[in-house]
Amino acid sequence: MASVPRVVRRAAPPLLASTKWLAMSCPQARHRGIPTRTGLGIRNFSQSTRHWRSVVPPPVQRGGSKLYATADDAVADIQSGSVVLSAGFGLCGVASTLIAALRRRGPDSLHSLTAVSNNAGAEGRGGLALLTENGQVDRMIMSFLGSNKTLERQYLTGKIAVELCPQGTLAERIRAAGSGIPAFFTPTGGNTLVQQGAIPVRFDADGNVVEYGQPRETRIFGGKPFLLETALHGDVAILRAYKVDKAGNCVFRYTTRSFGPLMAKAARVSIVEAENIVEVGEIDPNEIDLPGIYVDRIVPATESSLVETLKTRAVEDGVGEPKGEAQVRRNRIARRAARELKHGFYVNLGVGIPTLAPSFLPAGHQVWIQSENGILGMGDYPLPDQVDPDIVNAGKETVTLVPGASTFDSSESFSMIRGGHVDVSILGALQVSANGDLANYMIPGKVFKGMGGAMDLVSNPDNTKIVVATEHVAKDGTSKIVQSCSLPLTGARVVSTIITDLVSLAPLERRILLMTLFQCVFEVDRKKGTLTLTEIAPGISVDEVRAKTDATFSVVDNLGVME
């Protein structure tokens, strides 16, 4: 019989996330207990104040009809101060009919809500944005703010609290609540501000931090830090399903199941809006995604499904000739990144430059693209007549599915990711260090969108190769390849390969600029904390690379020449 791995309880390794920013920009951090070593692997922290409310949830009636004539009737007894779990990803699968009904109640009748969702919808268009803009939400628990400028302003001026939680952790906290599991340990967020509880949750009107996140208890398993996360319960869950019978059995389409089944199980009362309501027995038991035991109220969906980011392709689209120098550079990075994708690999490509990589795969070379919102086997953008609002990628863009694809909820998706079942994950970066530290979700004082699924994607670098594909320098000309990250970390010692691209402009006579394009590839030894230049573009010298690189690096003996 194989021996059971022994759990070692001791002090966690020093945090690699920069706390200099925290101490400099947030005076409160100087006296709130930045983590220090203690015994038993548990760190001492000053606890942030949590303003959870206790309300009486709507009643659940067994034996009666679950059907309500309108969404207004179904939400009439939801109380102010309730915790509302709102399903959907972007605008895909959101309960638009129920959200509209909640908004109609107005802030005088319904206010001070805590809303839990992956993100807050699209500003002025739909999702929870309709409630946050209406002043009915006091606190958001989410993974990604996105481009919702109104919510960002509300957050930075103290009108709403925002608890940022990694996407996979958010899904697992909700799943745990529905399963009767009070807490669990996860590798996601180790050695980051999440572990420290140092991400601001609420500001005052002058922009001063008045509340921080909750520091996580940390244990060491197999020599790695794991964070204790608690279950996330709701008073009410609102979700949308494609087909629901009168017993509450639900069928979801494609990526609309991202958070729907999870949230229905975690709330004391769940309300589903159904695009199609059918009689009991009309749904084959094999087709049911969510059993009726988890559904308490059913209303007809009267709002149409929404598309947050419509992306299509023309029939003749292929790699073709790129338009513009920026696209030339992006394609160059993507072409090299494609070499990391071996035949038969399961890969996650994030958003942006990494998504271009499959366009440069050789004929007959198949990879299975995983999207963290619940797709395995993601295809290209659809033709205009193929657009389906229920099939979107992690960037909320419309996409297609390849033959053999599958769709599933977010808990399943992040089990694949954290469990190391994905072979390669390619991400962008704001900074990446010589020892493989990655920062890609926050620039304090400038960019604060949230980490989304990035912390989960880098949580198992021993089994999933982490490749960074990025421009070599930032817009201000500073190097993204640094000796030590100054920005808050997404993950510590996680990156194995760095692929960069750089445009160097040199002035000539008569205001003409000579433009030099070059690429390079670095390999990271995460254990030794060293960086090695392994490939370089033709016509570019190592000295030129050194001049644009903050990090110290060595050069491999047989330096490769990139295509």
PDB file of all heavy atoms in Angstrom, residues 424-449:
ATOM      1  N   VAL A 424      -0.065  23.209 -21.260  1.00  0.00           N
ATOM      2  CA  VAL A 424       0.593  24.506 -21.407  1.00  0.00           C
ATOM      3  C   VAL A 424      -0.434  25.612 -21.206  1.00  0.00           C
ATOM      4  O   VAL A 424      -1.573  25.511 -21.674  1.00  0.00           O
ATOM      5  CB  VAL A 424       1.227  24.671 -22.808  1.00  0.00           C
ATOM      6  CG1 VAL A 424       1.835  26.066 -22.977  1.00  0.00           C
ATOM      7  CG2 VAL A 424       2.293  23.616 -23.045  1.00  0.00           C
ATOM      8  N   SER A 425      -0.021  26.661 -20.522  1.00  0.00           N
ATOM      9  CA  SER A 425      -0.839  27.861 -20.399  1.00  0.00           C
ATOM     10  C   SER A 425       0.001  29.046 -20.844  1.00  0.00           C
ATOM     11  O   SER A 425       1.123  29.236 -20.370  1.00  0.00           O
ATOM     12  CB  SER A 425      -1.311  28.055 -18.955  1.00  0.00           C
ATOM     13  OG  SER A 425      -2.146  29.193 -18.852  1.00  0.00           O
ATOM     14  N   ILE A 426      -0.529  29.829 -21.782  1.00  0.00           N
ATOM     15  CA  ILE A 426       0.185  30.994 -22.305  1.00  0.00           C
ATOM     16  C   ILE A 426      -0.542  32.252 -21.851  1.00  0.00           C
ATOM     17  O   ILE A 426      -1.738  32.412 -22.095  1.00  0.00           O
ATOM     18  CB  ILE A 426       0.287  30.960 -23.841  1.00  0.00           C
ATOM     19  CG1 ILE A 426       0.928  29.646 -24.304  1.00  0.00           C
ATOM     20  CG2 ILE A 426       1.096  32.145 -24.351  1.00  0.00           C
ATOM     21  CD1 ILE A 426       1.059  29.528 -25.816  1.00  0.00           C
ATOM     22  N   LEU A 427       0.181  33.142 -21.181  1.00  0.00           N
ATOM     23  CA  LEU A 427      -0.406  34.356 -20.651  1.00  0.00           C
ATOM     24  C   LEU A 427       0.404  35.573 -21.070  1.00  0.00           C
ATOM     25  O   LEU A 427       1.568  35.470 -21.439  1.00  0.00           O
ATOM     26  CB  LEU A 427      -0.471  34.322 -19.114  1.00  0.00           C
ATOM     27  CG  LEU A 427      -1.259  33.222 -18.437  1.00  0.00           C
ATOM     28  CD1 LEU A 427      -0.373  32.027 -18.134  1.00  0.00           C
ATOM     29  CD2 LEU A 427      -1.867  33.739 -17.139  1.00  0.00           C
ATOM     30  N   GLY A 428      -0.212  36.747 -20.957  1.00  0.00           N
ATOM     31  CA  GLY A 428       0.502  38.001 -21.122  1.00  0.00           C
ATOM     32  C   GLY A 428       1.099  38.432 -19.794  1.00  0.00           C
ATOM     33  O   GLY A 428       0.925  37.769 -18.768  1.00  0.00           O
ATOM     34  N   ALA A 429       1.817  39.557 -19.798  1.00  0.00           N
ATOM     35  CA  ALA A 429       2.481  39.994 -18.577  1.00  0.00           C
ATOM     36  C   ALA A 429       2.633  41.500 -18.547  1.00  0.00           C
ATOM     37  O   ALA A 429       2.782  42.155 -19.588  1.00  0.00           O
ATOM     38  CB  ALA A 429       3.854  39.336 -18.443  1.00  0.00           C
ATOM     39  N   LEU A 430       2.576  42.044 -17.339  1.00  0.00           N
ATOM     40  CA  LEU A 430       3.018  43.408 -17.082  1.00  0.00           C
ATOM     41  C   LEU A 430       4.494  43.403 -16.698  1.00  0.00           C
ATOM     42  O   LEU A 430       5.259  44.271 -17.100  1.00  0.00           O
ATOM     43  CB  LEU A 430       2.184  44.030 -15.960  1.00  0.00           C
ATOM     44  CG  LEU A 430       0.692  44.199 -16.248  1.00  0.00           C
ATOM     45  CD1 LEU A 430      -0.059  44.601 -14.985  1.00  0.00           C
ATOM     46  CD2 LEU A 430       0.473  45.231 -17.346  1.00  0.00           C
ATOM     47  N   GLN A 431       4.876  42.394 -15.918  1.00  0.00           N
ATOM     48  CA  GLN A 431       6.273  42.160 -15.552  1.00  0.00           C
ATOM     49  C   GLN A 431       6.471  40.659 -15.362  1.00  0.00           C
ATOM     50  O   GLN A 431       5.559  39.957 -14.935  1.00  0.00           O
ATOM     51  CB  GLN A 431       6.644  42.862 -14.242  1.00  0.00           C
ATOM     52  CG  GLN A 431       6.778  44.359 -14.300  1.00  0.00           C
ATOM     53  CD  GLN A 431       7.175  44.947 -12.957  1.00  0.00           C
ATOM     54  OE1 GLN A 431       6.958  44.353 -11.904  1.00  0.00           O
ATOM     55  NE2 GLN A 431       7.767  46.132 -12.986  1.00  0.00           N
ATOM     56  N   VAL A 432       7.688  40.205 -15.677  1.00  0.00           N
ATOM     57  CA  VAL A 432       8.092  38.843 -15.347  1.00  0.00           C
ATOM     58  C   VAL A 432       9.550  38.912 -14.922  1.00  0.00           C
ATOM     59  O   VAL A 432      10.352  39.627 -15.528  1.00  0.00           O
ATOM     60  CB  VAL A 432       7.868  37.872 -16.529  1.00  0.00           C
ATOM     61  CG1 VAL A 432       8.636  38.298 -17.757  1.00  0.00           C
ATOM     62  CG2 VAL A 432       8.213  36.450 -16.133  1.00  0.00           C
ATOM     63  N   SER A 433       9.873  38.218 -13.846  1.00  0.00           N
ATOM     64  CA  SER A 433      11.207  38.360 -13.268  1.00  0.00           C
ATOM     65  C   SER A 433      12.139  37.231 -13.678  1.00  0.00           C
ATOM     66  O   SER A 433      11.724  36.218 -14.247  1.00  0.00           O
ATOM     67  CB  SER A 433      11.114  38.411 -11.740  1.00  0.00           C
ATOM     68  OG  SER A 433      10.894  37.112 -11.220  1.00  0.00           O
ATOM     69  N   ALA A 434      13.416  37.408 -13.324  1.00  0.00           N
ATOM     70  CA  ALA A 434      14.443  36.430 -13.669  1.00  0.00           C
ATOM     71  C   ALA A 434      14.205  35.076 -13.028  1.00  0.00           C
ATOM     72  O   ALA A 434      14.670  34.051 -13.527  1.00  0.00           O
ATOM     73  CB  ALA A 434      15.825  36.963 -13.277  1.00  0.00           C
ATOM     74  N   ASN A 435      13.479  35.025 -11.918  1.00  0.00           N
ATOM     75  CA  ASN A 435      13.215  33.736 -11.266  1.00  0.00           C
ATOM     76  C   ASN A 435      11.831  33.191 -11.582  1.00  0.00           C
ATOM     77  O   ASN A 435      11.391  32.222 -10.975  1.00  0.00           O
ATOM     78  CB  ASN A 435      13.414  33.841  -9.747  1.00  0.00           C
ATOM     79  CG  ASN A 435      12.407  34.757  -9.082  1.00  0.00           C
ATOM     80  OD1 ASN A 435      11.560  35.343  -9.752  1.00  0.00           O
ATOM     81  ND2 ASN A 435      12.502  34.886  -7.770  1.00  0.00           N
ATOM     82  N   GLY A 436      11.130  33.829 -12.540  1.00  0.00           N
ATOM     83  CA  GLY A 436       9.833  33.310 -12.973  1.00  0.00           C
ATOM     84  C   GLY A 436       8.638  33.884 -12.278  1.00  0.00           C
ATOM     85  O   GLY A 436       7.515  33.419 -12.492  1.00  0.00           O
ATOM     86  N   ASP A 437       8.806  34.918 -11.445  1.00  0.00           N
ATOM     87  CA  ASP A 437       7.645  35.590 -10.862  1.00  0.00           C
ATOM     88  C   ASP A 437       6.867  36.290 -11.967  1.00  0.00           C
ATOM     89  O   ASP A 437       7.454  36.857 -12.897  1.00  0.00           O
ATOM     90  CB  ASP A 437       8.077  36.639  -9.835  1.00  0.00           C
ATOM     91  CG  ASP A 437       8.715  36.040  -8.601  1.00  0.00           C
ATOM     92  OD1 ASP A 437       8.676  34.810  -8.461  1.00  0.00           O
ATOM     93  OD2 ASP A 437       9.266  36.806  -7.787  1.00  0.00           O
ATOM     94  N   LEU A 438       5.536  36.284 -11.847  1.00  0.00           N
ATOM     95  CA  LEU A 438       4.674  36.898 -12.854  1.00  0.00           C
ATOM     96  C   LEU A 438       3.757  37.927 -12.209  1.00  0.00           C
ATOM     97  O   LEU A 438       3.139  37.661 -11.179  1.00  0.00           O
ATOM     98  CB  LEU A 438       3.829  35.826 -13.557  1.00  0.00           C
ATOM     99  CG  LEU A 438       2.752  36.325 -14.529  1.00  0.00           C
ATOM    100  CD1 LEU A 438       3.385  37.018 -15.736  1.00  0.00           C
ATOM    101  CD2 LEU A 438       1.857  35.173 -14.981  1.00  0.00           C
ATOM    102  N   ALA A 439       3.669  39.097 -12.827  1.00  0.00           N
ATOM    103  CA  ALA A 439       2.715  40.138 -12.420  1.00  0.00           C
ATOM    104  C   ALA A 439       1.931  40.542 -13.658  1.00  0.00           C
ATOM    105  O   ALA A 439       2.521  41.019 -14.629  1.00  0.00           O
ATOM    106  CB  ALA A 439       3.450  41.333 -11.827  1.00  0.00           C
ATOM    107  N   ASN A 440       0.618  40.327 -13.644  1.00  0.00           N
ATOM    108  CA  ASN A 440      -0.147  40.663 -14.851  1.00  0.00           C
ATOM    109  C   ASN A 440      -1.580  41.110 -14.590  1.00  0.00           C
ATOM    110  O   ASN A 440      -2.398  41.093 -15.508  1.00  0.00           O
ATOM    111  CB  ASN A 440      -0.142  39.487 -15.833  1.00  0.00           C
ATOM    112  CG  ASN A 440      -1.038  38.339 -15.420  1.00  0.00           C
ATOM    113  OD1 ASN A 440      -1.514  38.272 -14.285  1.00  0.00           O
ATOM    114  ND2 ASN A 440      -1.281  37.418 -16.331  1.00  0.00           N
ATOM    115  N   TYR A 441      -1.889  41.544 -13.352  1.00  0.00           N
ATOM    116  CA  TYR A 441      -3.283  41.917 -13.125  1.00  0.00           C
ATOM    117  C   TYR A 441      -3.473  43.288 -12.490  1.00  0.00           C
ATOM    118  O   TYR A 441      -4.612  43.772 -12.412  1.00  0.00           O
ATOM    119  CB  TYR A 441      -3.983  40.859 -12.256  1.00  0.00           C
ATOM    120  CG  TYR A 441      -3.674  40.937 -10.771  1.00  0.00           C
ATOM    121  CD1 TYR A 441      -4.559  41.566  -9.893  1.00  0.00           C
ATOM    122  CD2 TYR A 441      -2.521  40.375 -10.246  1.00  0.00           C
ATOM    123  CE1 TYR A 441      -4.280  41.630  -8.533  1.00  0.00           C
ATOM    124  CE2 TYR A 441      -2.249  40.434  -8.894  1.00  0.00           C
ATOM    125  CZ  TYR A 441      -3.130  41.060  -8.040  1.00  0.00           C
ATOM    126  OH  TYR A 441      -2.848  41.125  -6.702  1.00  0.00           O
ATOM    127  N   MET A 442      -2.423  43.956 -12.056  1.00  0.00           N
ATOM    128  CA  MET A 442      -2.617  45.208 -11.349  1.00  0.00           C
ATOM    129  C   MET A 442      -1.397  46.114 -11.466  1.00  0.00           C
ATOM    130  O   MET A 442      -0.267  45.665 -11.324  1.00  0.00           O
ATOM    131  CB  MET A 442      -2.887  44.940  -9.855  1.00  0.00           C
ATOM    132  CG  MET A 442      -3.129  46.209  -9.034  1.00  0.00           C
ATOM    133  SD  MET A 442      -2.954  45.963  -7.241  1.00  0.00           S
ATOM    134  CE  MET A 442      -4.196  44.729  -6.925  1.00  0.00           C
ATOM    135  N   ILE A 443      -1.659  47.412 -11.758  1.00  0.00           N
ATOM    136  CA  ILE A 443      -0.656  48.471 -11.595  1.00  0.00           C
ATOM    137  C   ILE A 443      -1.239  49.429 -10.573  1.00  0.00           C
ATOM    138  O   ILE A 443      -2.165  50.183 -10.894  1.00  0.00           O
ATOM    139  CB  ILE A 443      -0.359  49.208 -12.912  1.00  0.00           C
ATOM    140  CG1 ILE A 443       0.148  48.229 -13.979  1.00  0.00           C
ATOM    141  CG2 ILE A 443       0.667  50.313 -12.682  1.00  0.00           C
ATOM    142  CD1 ILE A 443       0.400  48.882 -15.324  1.00  0.00           C
ATOM    143  N   PRO A 444      -0.786  49.395  -9.335  1.00  0.00           N
ATOM    144  CA  PRO A 444      -1.384  50.240  -8.294  1.00  0.00           C
ATOM    145  C   PRO A 444      -1.464  51.705  -8.716  1.00  0.00           C
ATOM    146  O   PRO A 444      -0.489  52.286  -9.188  1.00  0.00           O
ATOM    147  CB  PRO A 444      -0.421  50.053  -7.114  1.00  0.00           C
ATOM    148  CG  PRO A 444       0.144  48.693  -7.326  1.00  0.00           C
ATOM    149  CD  PRO A 444       0.306  48.564  -8.808  1.00  0.00           C
ATOM    150  N   GLY A 445      -2.667  52.251  -8.561  1.00  0.00           N
ATOM    151  CA  GLY A 445      -2.899  53.642  -8.918  1.00  0.00           C
ATOM    152  C   GLY A 445      -3.247  53.864 -10.370  1.00  0.00           C
ATOM    153  O   GLY A 445      -3.657  54.964 -10.748  1.00  0.00           O
ATOM    154  N   LYS A 446      -3.128  52.816 -11.225  1.00  0.00           N
ATOM    155  CA  LYS A 446      -3.404  52.978 -12.653  1.00  0.00           C
ATOM    156  C   LYS A 446      -4.362  51.920 -13.176  1.00  0.00           C
ATOM    157  O   LYS A 446      -5.397  52.226 -13.745  1.00  0.00           O
ATOM    158  CB  LYS A 446      -2.099  52.935 -13.452  1.00  0.00           C
ATOM    159  CG  LYS A 446      -1.166  54.096 -13.176  1.00  0.00           C
ATOM    160  CD  LYS A 446       0.081  54.004 -14.058  1.00  0.00           C
ATOM    161  CE  LYS A 446       1.022  55.166 -13.783  1.00  0.00           C
ATOM    162  NZ  LYS A 446       2.242  55.085 -14.627  1.00  0.00           N
ATOM    163  N   VAL A 447      -3.989  50.667 -13.024  1.00  0.00           N
ATOM    164  CA  VAL A 447      -4.793  49.558 -13.548  1.00  0.00           C
ATOM    165  C   VAL A 447      -5.206  48.661 -12.395  1.00  0.00           C
ATOM    166  O   VAL A 447      -4.366  48.179 -11.635  1.00  0.00           O
ATOM    167  CB  VAL A 447      -3.992  48.739 -14.584  1.00  0.00           C
ATOM    168  CG1 VAL A 447      -4.820  47.548 -15.063  1.00  0.00           C
ATOM    169  CG2 VAL A 447      -3.582  49.617 -15.755  1.00  0.00           C
ATOM    170  N   PHE A 448      -6.519  48.448 -12.266  1.00  0.00           N
ATOM    171  CA  PHE A 448      -7.001  47.602 -11.175  1.00  0.00           C
ATOM    172  C   PHE A 448      -8.257  46.874 -11.649  1.00  0.00           C
ATOM    173  O   PHE A 448      -9.371  47.228 -11.283  1.00  0.00           O
ATOM    174  CB  PHE A 448      -7.295  48.460  -9.946  1.00  0.00           C
ATOM    175  CG  PHE A 448      -7.470  47.660  -8.682  1.00  0.00           C
ATOM    176  CD1 PHE A 448      -6.416  46.949  -8.150  1.00  0.00           C
ATOM    177  CD2 PHE A 448      -8.695  47.625  -8.032  1.00  0.00           C
ATOM    178  CE1 PHE A 448      -6.573  46.216  -6.976  1.00  0.00           C
ATOM    179  CE2 PHE A 448      -8.862  46.893  -6.868  1.00  0.00           C
ATOM    180  CZ  PHE A 448      -7.797  46.191  -6.340  1.00  0.00           C
ATOM    181  N   LYS A 449      -8.071  45.902 -12.502  1.00  0.00           N
ATOM    182  CA  LYS A 449      -9.190  45.206 -13.111  1.00  0.00           C
ATOM    183  C   LYS A 449      -9.540  43.899 -12.411  1.00  0.00           C
ATOM    184  O   LYS A 449     -10.628  43.375 -12.581  1.00  0.00           O
ATOM    185  CB  LYS A 449      -8.882  44.919 -14.586  1.00  0.00           C
ATOM    186  CG  LYS A 449      -8.585  46.162 -15.412  1.00  0.00           C
ATOM    187  CD  LYS A 449      -9.732  47.147 -15.418  1.00  0.00           C
ATOM    188  CE  LYS A 449      -9.442  48.347 -16.293  1.00  0.00           C
ATOM    189  NZ  LYS A 449     -10.496  49.367 -16.227  1.00  0.00           N
TER     190      LYS A 449
END
